[in-house]
Amino acid sequence: MAVRKTGKQKKTGIQSQGEIRRIAINTGGGDAPGLNAVIRAVVLSALHRGWECLGIRDGYNGLFLPEEYPEGGLIHLTHEAVRGIAHLGGTILGTTNRGNPLKYPTRGKDGKLYEKDRSDEVIDAFRKHEIDALIAIGGDGSLGIANVFARKGLRVVGVPKTIDNDLDKTVITFGFDTAVSFATEALDRLHSTAEAHRRVMVVEVMGRYAGWIALNAGVSGNADIILLPEISYDINKVCQKVMEHRIAGRRYAIVVVAEGARPVHGKRSVISQEIGRAERLGGIAEQLAREIEERTGIESRHVVLGHLQRGGTPTTFDRLISLRFGAAAIRALEEGQSGVMVALDPPTVKYVPLEQATRRMKTVPLNCDTILTARDLDICFGD
Ligand code: F6P
């Protein structure tokens, strides 16, 4: 649906205060289960206050490339548009991890791709469409962008999304619980086939440079070895653990490896690095399974859970925090807040400055109780 002109008086600049009549929502970066629940809560809470709600397609691409969207780069979000979506994976707005307005991939005269700062075009588009505020739903990248917009005067509230759980200043991000639940179920299934064949199964999980998914799924799913980006592993220690198991009569072993894990003195396994997007990690499980088999002589297989961790229905936990985050984001705007991120601080939801939330990545603390629990359960970290 194309955006209709309302005939309201044109604003002269981006308002950081004053009445709100129209807001926009966008979803950026990798999708995560719960996005649609956030959108539903934002829209219903906004409509409830008499605010009009627009959805920007595919990050900010709906503003940059409206011609690519037959129904318009901005869509009206009505009660009808958000009915029955809270349990659905993905995002009804679409998303992209190639549309960073601060580093937009743009072809130069020489035919090569460059990163271009197009942030002022977004500000202009907000002015043109008379949008008073933005709800930015995203991970560290998208919320870092939102922070730049807030500094440029746009009224912005962020909602913390990522299966990786690596955003700071919130106890949890939505999407993480679903990813961990899926990975744990996968581990449960792999135990029986690994045991039947007396194999080592190496399971690669996502998480980028943080080991939250690997740690939580690995401990819950009874892994023998968990390899995290936060603890460089020694392949000798990993193989030693596998052999100890064999000698003790255990017929198989389960290794969970985070995609961002790396060996001592070694590098992360990177698939590709392109202009305008984050590096793609992956391949560590295959490499590790080969090394374990070569060194121990025990047949080894690898499984990459990949995007299965991001797809499908959000767990009840993710659905509920997504709805809570979405409604809280609108309350934040109503209170006159801007440049903040909604954060879970049980039993409540609070607001933290985007500046603080995006300053550093939240990695697994080496002395956290889940690590201590794992060590007490005799799980090896390869250190
Ligand atoms: O940040 C979420 C995430 O799923 C990471 O865990 C992973 O490294 C990355 O996105 C994968 O991105 P893509 O969808 O581009 O393959």
Side-chain angles (χ1 to χ4, degrees):
M1 193 192 300
V3 177
R4 283 191 325 258
K5 283 274 168 201
T6 59
K8 280 179 203 154
Q9 214 186 338
K10 204 167 166 61
K11 287 185 180 138
T12 50
I14 294 298
Q15 310 292 300
S16 57
Q17 281 167 12
E19 199 193 341
I20 294 178
R21 281 169 295 187
R22 182 184 272 184
I23 65 163
I25 314 173
N26 79 338
T27 54
D31 68 327
L35 279 169
N36 284 322
V38 178
I39 294 170
R40 177 174 161 81
V42 166
V43 171
L44 294 186
S45 307
L47 295 178
H48 197 211
R49 286 160 173 80
W51 303 350
E52 195 180 347
C53 228
L54 302 176
I56 308 173
R57 303 298 310 277
D58 300 343
Y60 295 92
N61 282 349
L63 297 175
F64 290 141
L65 309 160
E67 66 284 0
E68 293 208 351
Y69 301 90
E71 295 186 343
L74 291 173
I75 49 176
H76 277 288
L77 294 171
T78 57
H79 282 95
E80 186 57 37
V82 297
R83 183 164 298 143
I85 64 167
H87 65 294
L88 301 179
T91 155
I92 60 166
L93 298 177
T95 188
T96 177
N97 42 22
R98 317 184 95 145
N100 180 346
L102 308 176
K103 294 179 177 180
Y104 204 84
T106 307
R107 209 162 285 287
K109 285 188 184 138
D110 56 2
K112 287 188 191 152
L113 275 180
Y114 293 96
E115 294 177 345
K116 187 177 173 196
D117 183 349
R118 297 184 64 180
S119 55
D120 286 340
E121 290 174 53
V122 173
I123 301 280
D124 288 345
F126 268 67
R127 193 176 292 133
K128 178 177 150 211
H129 293 289
E130 300 178 349
I131 299 166
D132 303 307
L134 169 70
I135 303 288
I137 314 172
D140 57 344
S142 306
L143 295 185
I145 295 164
N147 187 35
V148 171
F149 287 138
R151 278 199 253 125
K152 284 180 181 252
L154 201 65
R155 190 153 34 177
V156 183
V157 173
V159 177
K161 165 238 68 170
T162 167
I163 65 163
D164 304 338
N165 195 36
D166 59 354
L167 257 169
D168 203 14
K169 304 293 174 199
T170 180
V171 166
I172 213 162
T173 54
F174 76 83
F176 173 65
D177 185 63
T178 309
V180 170
S181 302
F182 175 81
T184 304
E185 191 195 330
L187 293 176
D188 291 347
R189 287 168 183 268
L190 288 168
H191 275 275
S192 57
T193 175
E195 182 167 24
H197 287 268
R198 308 187 70 171
R199 282 175 174 156
V200 175
M201 296 294 307
V202 183
V203 186
E204 182 175 310
V205 297
M206 283 185 167
R208 231 183 261 284
Y209 311 112
W212 296 104
I213 299 178
L215 178 65
N216 286 27
V219 174
S220 308
N222 280 314
D224 303 294
I225 299 164
I226 301 175
L227 304 177
L228 308 176
E230 292 84 352
I231 305 175
S232 301
Y233 67 86
D234 177 345
I235 187 68
N236 295 312
K237 302 252 172 72
V238 172
C239 293
Q240 193 182 322
K241 180 75 178 176
V242 169
M243 291 312 290
E244 275 171 20
H245 267 222
R246 190 50 67 113
I247 292 160
R250 264 286 298 275
R251 294 164 60 93
Y252 70 102
I254 301 281
V255 182
V256 175
V257 59
E259 61 180 0
R262 61 172 157 203
V264 182
H265 309 308
K267 287 191 176 149
R268 282 200 181 93
S269 184
V270 176
I271 297 177
S272 63
Q273 171 77 75
E274 286 173 36
I275 291 284
R277 61 183 299 179
E279 65 180 6
R280 278 184 68 204
L281 301 174
I284 184 75
E286 184 175 9
Q287 185 184 310
L288 204 58
R290 200 180 321 115
E291 271 187 292
I292 292 173
E293 184 167 307
E294 276 168 16
R295 286 167 178 256
T296 64
I298 300 172
E299 194 175 33
S300 304
R301 292 283 190 272
H302 75 278
V303 179
V304 180
L305 297 186
H307 295 81
L308 291 168
Q309 294 159 96
R310 288 206 330 227
T313 301
T315 58
T316 307
F317 179 86
D318 271 339
R319 224 179 287 183
L320 183 59
I321 53 161
S322 299
L323 293 166
R324 291 173 63 196
F325 280 168
I330 293 296
R331 290 198 300 274
L333 281 183
E334 189 176 44
E335 287 169 18
Q337 306 243 26
S338 179
V340 294
M341 180 186 85
V342 174
L344 187 69
D345 183 16
T348 192
V349 166
K350 65 177 183 184
Y351 309 121
V352 294
L354 276 169
E355 192 76 46
Q356 284 178 20
T358 56
R359 194 173 294 154
R360 58 159 217 139
M361 185 181 24
K362 184 181 71 183
T363 52
V364 176
L366 299 186
N367 58 353
C368 72
D369 92 282
T370 313
I371 295 255
L372 300 181
T373 303
R375 293 198 190 275
D376 281 335
L377 296 176
D378 207 22
I379 294 171
C380 165
F381 287 99
D383 58 346

